[in-house]
Amino acid sequence: MEDMVRLVHSVAPALAAVGALAVALVAPALLSAAVPARLTDVPAGTSITLTATGIGAVHGGADPANAIVFLVPEPMRRQATGDESVAVLKSGDGEQRVSVSVTDGITDFATAAPRMLLPLRAAGVAARFDGGVVDAGEFHGLTCELPDTAGGVCAVAASGDVGVTILVTGPTREAGLHLIAEVLNSTKAVEA
C-alpha cells in the first residue's frame, strides 16, 4: 500500500503538469484561427516563475520547493496560458516554440519520468525517450523527441521533488537541445 501511495504522489502531479503542457502545445494551433493568441514581448534574461500545482504544493513535504525560476535565454514572446505552472514562449520570427512546465511532489523520478509523456501521447503528440541524458544546472533527467514535429525535442528533469518538462519545436533538433540546456542551466527550484 505504501508503494501505491508513493507512486500516486510521484505520478499524479507529473501527469497534471504534462497534461496542461500538452494543452498549451495543441490547443493554440487548433484555436489560432478563431482566437488570436495574446503575446507579450520578453527580453533575454527576463526571470519567469512557474508555480507547481502538484501534490507537494498542496500537502507540503520534506522539500519546500514548489516552484521554479528560469531566465528567458533570448528575446521571445510569451503566450498567455492562464496556468501558473506553464510558460509558452515563441521566438520573434516564430521558428522556435518553447513550453516549460513544473510539478512537485515527485518522490521517484525513475517511475514518474515515463508517465510524464503519457498526457502528450493522449493529446496526439508523439513523444518518446531517445536515450539521451540531460544534466544542466541543478536538474538531471532524460531527453526525448517529438518525431512528428519539425525540430521537436523535449526533456523531463528533476531537482529534489520538483520536476520540469520542456518541449521545443523549431528549425533543428540541435537548436532545440541547446535551448533546453540554456533554460535548465538557469532554472532554480524555489519556494513560492
Side-chain angles (χ1 to χ4, degrees), residues 134-185:
V134 62
D135 187 17
E138 60 184 53
F139 285 85
H140 311 284
L142 306 170
T143 61
C144 43
E145 62 184 351
L146 309 172
D148 299 336
T149 306
V153 293
C154 54
V156 294
S159 175
D161 74 336
V162 175
V164 177
T165 302
I166 303 175
L167 282 77
V168 179
T169 60
T172 66
R173 175 177 168 75
E174 291 75 25
L177 290 172
H178 178 72
L179 195 53
I180 287 170
E182 283 188 76
V183 169
L184 285 177
N185 274 322

Side-chain angles (χ1 to χ4, degrees), residues 9 23 29 34 37 43 47 52-54 62 70 81 116 119 124 133 144 147 159 177:
H9 280 94
V23 169
S47 175
T53 55
F70 69 94
T81 65
M116 292 171 81
V133 174
C144 43
S159 175
L177 290 172

Side-chain angles (χ1 to χ4, degrees), residues 3 6-11 14 105-116 158 160-161:
D3 288 337
R6 205 173 349 184
L7 179 63
V8 168
H9 280 94
S10 68
V11 175
I106 294 178
T107 58
D108 181 4
F109 181 74
T111 300
R115 292 188 171 109
M116 292 171 81
D161 74 336

Side-chain angles (χ1 to χ4, degrees), residues 33-85:
V35 179
R38 293 181 308 180
L39 298 172
T40 305
D41 289 334
V42 182
T46 299
S47 175
I48 293 179
T49 301
L50 300 178
T51 304
T53 55
I55 299 293
V58 175
H59 298 292
D63 185 348
N66 65 343
I68 60 166
V69 175
F70 69 94
L71 301 178
V72 177
E74 58 190 54
M76 301 187 101
R77 300 179 79 199
R78 185 172 182 182
Q79 181 174 329
T81 65
D83 185 340
E84 64 184 23
S85 68

